[in-house]
Amino acid sequence: MLNMTDNGRYILRIGLCFCTLALLTSCGDGPKNAEMHREAPEGMRWVPGSVFMQGARAEDPYAMSWERPAHEVEVDGFYIDVTEVTNAQFRAFVTQTGYVTTAERPVDWEVMKKTLPPGTTKPPDSLLLPGSMVFTPPQNPVSDLRDISQWWRWQPGASWQHPQGPGSTIEGRDEYPVVHISYEDALAYCNWAGRRLPTEAEWELAARGENPEAIFTWGTDADLLPQKANTWQGRFPDRNDSKDGFVAAAPVGSFPANANGLYDMAGNVWEWTQDWFRPDHYAEVARQGRLLNPRGPDTSYNPVNPYQPEKVIKGGSYLCHASYCASFRISARMGMSPDSSTDHVGFRTVMSVDSFN
């Protein structure tokens, strides 16, 4: 990151590099299982298989270089959660299994320093307590949006049960998306539920609905954003005018579903996918012709964050604003370290036909 003090680097890297030790094919001319829709499992919808162009549309004014070029992919049909996984659903998992999330475990400096530049000095012990990253709006306007430590802070004690840290609670918030979830945490839930995380291509197909040229989950009209998704209105990051009715995360299903009957595929909280993140990946695969059920690159490398592997997250969050990430678009994609967690990242699950009994 640029222009950050040492303390800012510590806070950012502890949160975004928080490490722990533990860390279908098709036949014929069309996608396999394209019409094999059975009654969906409770809380899921069927997404028919399709051939489509993955990546940013040419007319998308917010498209980033790592979303281009669009390339042809073929994806088999699958089931996907109608909403992001909620606090109530995650609580059921924890109650049955006793699972402890990444944010609730002690920080191991010897492990964490392997993901930092050589020679990085150990931060104060007060920053090595279990916790997670929490968005904290600055008091004044920000002139340099490259330094995200101005609005992100490491909060000891923050976790899925205490989203803002000690003293905060999820009581009465059963239908809110669970947050402060690392990739490892999401996989643990999937294993318990008999599900998996979507690939990036599956996620994008589910978000796109029936419009192959859509930029947003509802089409191409950016003016509909406050009515269609929970994002940031006003001046990022110090003033949220809340024209959509929410300052932070909203209960799942608070905004209209897309054509596939799925809620919050834009905004609210980011969602984990299976794929490793490389900003040059789309440029590489575009030369290969149509991709069949792509699963992303074999390894991760991001020159902005060279010491830490990253997974792709999709969908944007309540913090997305046109002046900053504009990730309320279908093609938007970012990288996040698998052992990181924040108060604007959650997940949803999928099932393949061959795993549904």
Side-chain angles (χ1 to χ4, degrees):
M1 293 298 171
L2 303 175
N3 300 332
M4 298 203 325
T5 64
D6 287 341
N7 189 55
R9 288 193 183 92
Y10 289 144
I11 294 173
L12 178 60
R13 296 307 301 150
I14 288 172
L16 299 184
C17 298
F18 179 44
C19 296
T20 62
L21 288 169
L23 235 177
L24 212 165
T25 66
S26 73
C27 58
D29 296 327
K32 179 181 177 185
N33 303 323
E35 302 302 328
M36 291 181 61
H37 176 36
R38 315 180 197 181
E39 184 178 352
E42 183 178 0
M44 304 189 91
R45 286 290 181 94
W46 171 253
V47 176
S50 182
V51 176
F52 69 101
M53 297 299 292
Q54 180 181 1
R57 296 303 181 258
E59 61 275 17
D60 183 351
Y62 301 116
M64 303 292 186
S65 60
W66 51 84
E67 301 169 24
R68 289 176 166 158
H71 50 284
E72 189 176 52
V73 299
E74 180 178 329
V75 175
D76 293 337
F78 57 95
Y79 299 95
I80 187 168
D81 289 339
V82 172
T83 71
E84 295 147 340
V85 173
T86 65
N87 286 323
Q89 291 171 316
F90 199 78
R91 182 190 298 112
F93 158 60
V94 170
T95 298
Q96 186 174 119
T97 64
Y99 183 80
V100 178
T101 63
T102 302
E104 298 170 293
R105 304 174 199 166
V107 180
D108 188 333
W109 168 245
E110 293 302 315
V111 173
M112 189 180 74
K113 72 180 182 181
K114 296 177 182 178
T115 68
L116 299 170
T120 300
T121 57
K122 182 180 178 181
D125 289 343
S126 61
L127 295 179
L128 292 177
L129 298 172
S132 189
M133 297 292 287
V134 173
F135 173 76
T136 306
Q139 296 296 312
N140 300 304
V142 170
S143 59
D144 185 359
L145 291 176
R146 295 173 298 177
D147 182 0
I148 68 175
S149 68
Q150 296 173 96
W151 56 87
W152 283 109
R153 63 183 170 89
W154 175 253
Q155 176 59 62
S159 70
W160 74 274
Q161 299 183 84
H162 306 287
Q164 303 303 309
S168 63
T169 179
I170 57 171
E171 184 177 352
R173 298 171 66 91
D174 279 359
E175 298 307 310
Y176 281 72
V178 66
V179 292
H180 295 298
I181 298 298
S182 70
Y183 183 80
E184 179 187 347
D185 300 334
L187 288 186
Y189 177 93
C190 287
N191 291 336
W192 170 77
R195 312 281 178 84
R196 61 178 175 82
L197 290 174
T199 65
E200 183 178 6
E202 287 174 333
W203 191 100
E204 189 160 323
L205 175 60
R208 190 162 295 284
E210 300 173 345
N211 185 348
E213 298 306 316
I215 295 174
F216 311 102
T217 59
W218 57 90
T220 58
D221 188 352
D223 291 338
L224 294 178
L225 183 61
Q227 291 80 46
K228 297 291 189 178
N230 180 18
T231 60
W232 187 281
Q233 294 88 46
R235 184 177 59 212
F236 184 83
D238 64 297
R239 192 190 73 227
N240 188 347
D241 295 338
S242 306
K243 292 180 180 179
D244 58 13
F246 298 94
V247 175
V252 297
S254 295
F255 293 82
N258 74 351
N260 281 326
L262 309 177
Y263 295 92
D264 300 314
M265 296 296 282
N268 216 24
V269 298
W270 285 94
E271 301 177 13
W272 289 106
T273 73
Q274 292 185 23
D275 296 27
W276 289 113
F277 178 76
R278 293 185 66 101
D280 59 354
H281 180 61
Y282 281 13
E284 290 292 327
V285 299
R287 297 191 289 265
Q288 299 175 17
R290 181 188 295 183
L291 302 178
L292 176 62
N293 293 317
R295 302 177 67 88
D298 294 332
T299 59
S300 168
Y301 178 74
N302 185 352
V304 176
N305 185 20
Y307 297 97
Q308 177 67 57
E310 296 177 335
K311 289 286 187 177
V312 174
I313 53 175
K314 296 284 287 183
S317 78
Y318 64 86
L319 295 178
C320 285
H321 187 264
S323 70
Y324 187 52
C325 71
S327 291
F328 35 68
R329 298 165 297 107
I330 294 170
S331 66
R333 57 198 303 265
M334 297 290 286
M336 184 167 175
S337 56
D339 42 22
S340 299
S341 62
T342 75
D343 64 354
H344 76 329
V345 175
F347 69 108
R348 75 177 73 211
T349 72
V350 302
M351 289 179 66
S352 304
V353 169
D354 55 11
S355 65
F356 177 47
N357 297 316

